[in-house]
Amino acid sequence: MTHLKNLVLVFLLGIGCWASAQDTGNVQTYKKRVLETTEVDFLSSYYAQTGDNAAVSGGIGTEELTDATGTFVVSIPLNDDDVLTIDAGVSAYTSASSSNIDPFDGVRRADPFVASSGASSGDVWVNLTGSYSHSSDDRNNIVSGKLSVSSEYDYFSIGFGGSYSRLFNEKNTELSLNATVYLDSWNTIYPFELRPFGNNGIGFFRPTEITGNVNYSPNFTEFEKTNRNSYTFGLGFSQILHKNLQGSLALDLVQQQGLLSTPFQRVYFSDVADSFIEGFQLADDVERLPDSRFKIAMGGRLNWFLNQSITVRTFYRYYLDDWGINSHTASVEVPVKISDTFTLYPSYRYYQQTAADYFGGYETHLSTQEFYTSDFDLSQYVANQFGFGVSYTDIFTQLHIWEFGFKGFDLKFYKYDRDTTFGSYIVTGGFTFVMD
């Protein structure tokens, strides 16, 4: 039966070609499909970090965290010009830092450098994103749109946006525009000891166990806003400068409004006497940050193809915002093709930033200030990241699993260190399959 179908297909193609040859007034050029067949990518990663400046415990305490992520990305060609992509991911983490939102719910003695075993020690984040793209017949215009939903125990987000790309100069020049809106909402969770002093007066407190300043009475109020909206706009320009040289420039603008503080991150004031239960210092307040933030990032890439085996990819970005942070990022990656199927990816990334106007470490803020945070992500620091990866590509997809041909994999390892006590590493893997 299959043989018969092939004969019929060849016959019909022959008739079609003969008819086209006779109709010289209606000649159609061949149009390559944007995506030939359905592709499935499975992406996974394992991340681990350490440090001694946890924001949950006011700039001191353990920052230990592990996270495992799995994501499926399915790209489906709807026709010659349109592609639908579905991206579904799940991330599960355990955090010694966030476990100390309530440091008194475990069997261990409460201490900022020891993880609590309570419910706040882990969570699951889920995300689903759908995107649709359309390419013009000449492939010089590409329009796309996307919709995303993500959720975890204290956070829910909806995002939507679109982009437009235009190719000029025989596809040697490309101009792109993109815009995205994220509408987020918090389920505000506060440090355990502050809850009885909030608007609702909920929670359980143990005043007879307080040491140090036994008259613990923080001036704490809950946040009125529990939503955050983010609006992003991007402009990109890329140009083939030479057969071996390609460059690109990018500008990104972000406006955020709403609750930009993290409700469970503590702050300790230098002008307030310290109160303790067991080995854990009770919060004077949570971080308070402005309800708006404007960010600007601009940068460029330059890729130099030295020969058939070696490419040098460089990147630089300058960032600033109205919270006082300025940063520089520079990176280089040197893919080395060691065979027709294997490529190695050594890389290095340098980063430095100034501190936000509202940052201060443990017990450096005053209770009279309007805004304050002890989150070291907003501090001044320098970071270095070293990476190495390997990829395998089989354009003939000789290996098959069920109805899918194995196209290749990509494995990478990155080690990241700041000049504070913070360090981390991440292992990522990606596997690509195509439907026969």
Side-chain angles (χ1 to χ4, degrees):
M1 182 63 71
T2 301
H3 180 67
L4 180 59
K5 287 181 179 179
N6 290 337
L7 289 176
V8 172
L9 180 59
V10 171
F11 176 75
L12 292 176
L13 288 174
I15 294 295
C17 293
W18 176 83
S20 297
Q22 302 308 306
D23 186 5
T24 57
N26 186 28
V27 177
Q28 295 184 352
T29 59
Y30 170 73
K31 180 172 66 174
K32 180 178 175 61
R33 291 170 64 91
V34 175
L35 184 64
E36 292 294 334
T37 186
T38 298
E39 289 192 0
V40 178
D41 292 285
F42 174 68
L43 313 174
S44 63
S45 66
Y46 179 80
Y47 171 84
Q49 70 177 43
T50 59
D52 297 323
N53 302 115
V56 173
S57 45
I60 58 173
T62 178
E63 296 178 84
E64 289 185 4
L65 179 147
T66 60
D67 179 275
T69 301
T71 302
F72 278 100
V73 181
V74 183
S75 300
I76 306 169
L78 303 178
N79 50 48
D80 288 351
D81 307 319
D82 302 320
V83 177
L84 175 66
T85 302
I86 306 295
D87 183 331
V90 176
S91 175
Y93 73 83
T94 59
S95 171
S97 174
S98 67
S99 74
N100 281 325
I101 295 173
D102 182 359
F104 314 109
D105 63 352
V107 296
R108 298 178 179 177
R109 182 175 184 269
D111 188 294
F113 291 94
V114 176
S116 170
S117 58
S120 59
S121 62
D123 189 32
V124 175
W125 172 88
V126 294
N127 171 263
L128 179 64
T129 300
S131 60
Y132 172 88
S133 66
H134 171 78
S135 299
S136 62
D137 287 341
D138 59 7
R139 303 298 184 249
N140 286 331
N141 296 274
I142 304 171
V143 180
S144 66
K146 72 173 183 178
L147 176 66
S148 66
V149 179
S150 60
S151 177
E152 56 183 310
Y153 81 105
D154 65 336
Y155 200 74
F156 180 79
S157 176
I158 295 177
F160 56 90
S163 65
Y164 171 73
S165 298
R166 170 68 177 172
L167 281 73
F168 305 91
N169 188 25
E170 297 182 346
K171 296 182 173 56
N172 289 319
T173 306
E174 179 178 350
L175 179 67
S176 62
L177 306 170
N178 66 82
T180 307
V181 176
Y182 291 99
L183 307 176
D184 310 331
S185 60
W186 288 90
N187 176 19
T188 49
I189 298 175
Y190 299 102
F192 175 82
E193 66 271 24
L194 291 177
R195 297 174 193 175
F197 301 91
N199 302 341
N200 298 322
I202 60 175
F204 175 71
F205 191 53
R206 303 184 295 196
T208 59
E209 300 180 43
I210 295 177
T211 59
N213 175 24
V214 297
N215 297 314
Y216 178 64
S217 182
N219 184 21
F220 169 71
T221 57
E222 298 179 12
F223 291 107
E224 295 181 0
K225 295 181 178 180
T226 59
N227 68 296
R228 175 174 66 190
N229 299 337
S230 302
Y231 310 93
T232 69
F233 174 78
L235 174 65
F237 173 80
S238 66
Q239 176 67 50
I240 297 178
L241 304 170
H242 181 268
K243 66 178 182 179
N244 294 333
L245 194 64
Q246 181 185 32
S248 65
L249 299 171
L251 172 67
D252 293 295
L253 308 175
V254 179
Q255 176 67 53
Q256 293 183 298
Q257 296 176 329
L259 179 55
L260 305 183
S261 307
T262 303
F264 51 75
Q265 294 188 167
R266 293 175 174 86
V267 169
Y268 300 112
F269 298 131
S270 61
D271 57 345
V272 174
D274 300 341
S275 300
F276 297 85
I277 290 181
E278 298 175 354
F280 200 95
Q281 185 174 346
L282 306 182
D284 295 325
D285 199 0
V286 297
E287 73 171 11
R288 307 277 176 175
L289 294 169
D291 60 4
S292 68
R293 187 180 187 182
F294 183 65
K295 308 176 184 180
I296 302 176
M298 58 194 80
R301 298 180 182 274
L302 194 64
N303 298 335
W304 184 17
F305 303 92
L306 294 179
N307 50 50
Q308 292 183 345
S309 299
I310 301 177
T311 303
V312 179
R313 299 173 179 170
T314 60
F315 170 76
Y316 172 78
R317 182 184 66 182
Y318 174 69
Y319 166 92
L320 72 158
D321 62 30
D322 57 1
W323 285 9
I325 293 180
N326 296 267
S327 71
H328 300 271
T329 306
S331 68
V332 58
E333 183 181 61
V334 185
V336 179
K337 194 174 182 64
I338 59 175
S339 71
D340 291 339
T341 55
F342 283 97
T343 302
L344 305 180
Y345 292 88
S347 65
Y348 170 73
R349 178 179 179 268
Y350 172 84
Y351 178 83
Q352 70 170 44
Q353 75 171 36
T354 60
D357 297 335
Y358 320 111
F359 172 78
Y362 169 70
E363 288 199 336
T364 59
H365 291 293
L366 297 174
S367 60
T368 55
Q369 293 176 243
E370 181 181 9
F371 301 117
Y372 33 78
T373 178
S374 295
D375 185 349
F376 271 70
D377 287 345
L378 299 177
S379 70
Q380 177 178 331
Y381 65 87
V382 173
N384 295 276
Q385 177 179 280
F386 296 89
F388 185 80
V390 59
S391 70
Y392 168 83
T393 303
D394 179 9
I395 61 174
F396 300 108
T397 61
Q398 300 178 69
L399 177 63
H400 288 74
I401 300 177
W402 293 301
E403 298 295 327
F404 294 90
F406 180 61
K407 189 175 181 179
F409 68 79
D410 187 86
L411 300 174
K412 290 185 178 180
F413 172 84
Y414 298 98
K415 183 69 174 67
Y416 173 90
D417 288 293
R418 293 181 186 175
D419 59 355
T420 60
T421 63
F422 185 88
S424 68
Y425 71 87
I426 185 171
V427 180
T428 67
F431 303 84
T432 302
F433 301 87
V434 296
M435 182 174 289
D436 291 339

